[in-house]
Amino acid sequence: MKIVTNWVIGRLADRRFASLDDLGEAVASEVDAINDRIPFRGQKVSRRELFTEHEKSELIALPEVRWQPVTWKKSKVNRDYHVEIATVKYSVPHTYAGQHVDVKITGEKLTIMCEGEVIASHTISGRRHGYITDPEHVPAQHLQSADLWSRPYFVRQAHKIGPNTVAAITEVLDRQRIEAQGYRSCQNILALGKGDNKQLLERACGQLISETARRAISYTAVKQHLAVLRAQAAARPTTTTAAPSSANATPVAAPLGRRDTRGAHLAGPEQFSLAALTGTPSALDEGDRS
């Protein structure tokens, strides 16, 4: 490198170039001159001749595909036999459901390996939250097992909530070209009914199904309807139910708050006399009349 740097800089220092391409051609020409210069280390051959005779045959061919950066990720195959990478779900053979896998991303190619063996290969998808499913990975029959989701499983779970939820889950599954692509949505919809939310979920599904001009049922649609129902419930006025009182209980007067007497017309002490309170004329009034 020192020889090339000194030679090139010394030969080209006083020249001006209009572009980087022109400079590159000049540098390449000077490097060729160095490689072809004779003698090399006292021998009557050049660097290029020595390379051609002794080293060139030892080189291997360049790869057909240019080098690309490689990214490795670890993932776990879900019960819908898909792994999720950057919101996109990629399928693997269903027998690997529940197992941990390594994912290799090279350019536009995604390779999934289990214990060093390649089990699936896909082209990277740019469609967020989408599914890339190889039909060969789909089991012939979706039988309920410990490692696989299935239609009977989700329908059975929906029956625990209500008929509207069953109808919503069925529609989600029927809409998919490959049924397993709807399993995540079904799981997320059913998760909205956890705890005390079963009745709200059933009402939300019922509203979606009964709408005349409606969009397709999805997890997002159900979640939005559920949020509307919660907001409506929170906006309703509530009353406080008084505790039941026994027959012998002594009524307790409510505490008096501070009275606002601004603008009140106050009278003198005579207004509180017996005559004023009973409406009968007093002796003073009789004397005035006489």
Side-chain angles (χ1 to χ4, degrees):
M1 291 296 299
K2 182 177 180 181
I3 295 174
V4 172
T5 301
N6 291 340
W7 180 277
V8 171
I9 291 177
R11 298 292 296 268
L12 303 181
D14 297 331
R15 295 179 56 180
R16 292 180 178 273
F17 300 92
S19 67
L20 289 177
D21 290 338
D22 293 342
L23 174 60
E25 291 179 1
V27 171
S29 178
E30 295 299 332
V31 171
D32 287 339
I34 293 174
N35 289 330
D36 293 331
R37 189 171 56 189
I38 299 175
F40 170 60
R41 293 182 178 178
Q43 304 182 54
K44 296 182 180 180
V45 293
S46 65
R47 289 179 173 84
R48 190 184 305 277
E49 290 172 335
L50 286 175
F51 167 76
T52 302
E53 181 179 355
H54 300 287
E55 298 179 0
K56 186 176 181 179
S57 59
E58 301 297 327
L59 298 179
I60 61 175
L62 293 175
E64 296 180 359
V65 180
R66 294 179 63 89
W67 180 88
Q68 293 178 312
V70 177
T71 303
W72 288 90
K73 295 181 179 292
K74 290 187 176 295
S75 185
K76 182 179 180 180
V77 182
N78 213 307
R79 287 197 286 173
D80 60 357
Y81 49 89
H82 287 72
V83 296
E84 182 173 345
I85 304 296
T87 76
V88 183
K89 290 81 174 175
Y90 300 91
S91 69
V92 302
H94 67 277
T95 53
Y96 290 93
Q99 298 193 33
H100 293 273
V101 295
D102 295 311
V103 181
K104 178 183 178 182
I105 303 173
T106 308
E108 297 298 318
K109 184 179 180 181
L110 182 143
T111 305
I112 304 172
M113 293 178 285
C114 182
E115 297 181 354
E117 178 186 357
V118 176
I119 61 175
S121 181
H122 299 278
T123 301
I124 295 291
S125 173
R127 185 167 61 91
R128 292 179 59 81
H129 305 288
Y131 277 85
I132 304 298
T133 305
D134 187 339
E136 295 184 358
H137 297 162
V138 181
Q141 293 181 347
H142 283 279
L143 301 177
Q144 176 62 21
S145 68
D147 293 330
L148 285 180
W149 280 332
S150 67
R151 174 185 287 263
Y153 168 79
F154 289 112
V155 173
R156 185 165 58 252
Q157 297 301 316
H159 270 294
K160 298 178 182 178
I161 300 175
N164 293 326
T165 307
V166 173
I169 292 296
T170 302
E171 180 175 324
V172 171
L173 295 174
D174 290 343
R175 192 173 64 246
Q176 308 301 326
R177 182 177 62 87
I178 296 178
E179 187 178 277
Q181 295 180 354
Y183 289 169
R184 295 283 183 101
S185 294
C186 292
Q187 178 70 3
N188 291 336
I189 290 173
L190 293 173
L192 294 174
K194 289 183 176 180
D196 299 330
N197 295 317
K198 290 185 178 180
Q199 293 183 356
L200 281 177
L201 176 59
E202 177 69 4
R203 288 177 57 193
C205 291
Q207 289 183 3
L208 273 172
I209 294 170
S210 62
E211 290 178 355
T212 304
R214 63 178 177 86
R215 56 178 176 171
I217 294 179
S218 64
Y219 165 69
T220 301
V222 176
K223 184 178 180 180
Q224 290 175 351
H225 271 64
L226 205 63
V228 171
L229 291 176
R230 287 198 184 100
Q232 292 174 351
R236 292 182 187 138
T238 57
T239 58
T240 302
T241 305
S245 58
S246 61
N248 299 327
T250 303
V252 179
L256 296 176
R258 184 175 181 180
R259 297 177 61 189
D260 186 2
T261 59
R262 291 175 295 179
H265 298 283
L266 303 178
E270 64 274 4
Q271 296 298 322
F272 297 93
S273 65
L274 180 61
L277 294 175
T278 59
T280 58
S282 63
L284 182 60
D285 292 338
E286 294 292 339
D288 291 341
R289 286 181 187 152
S290 63

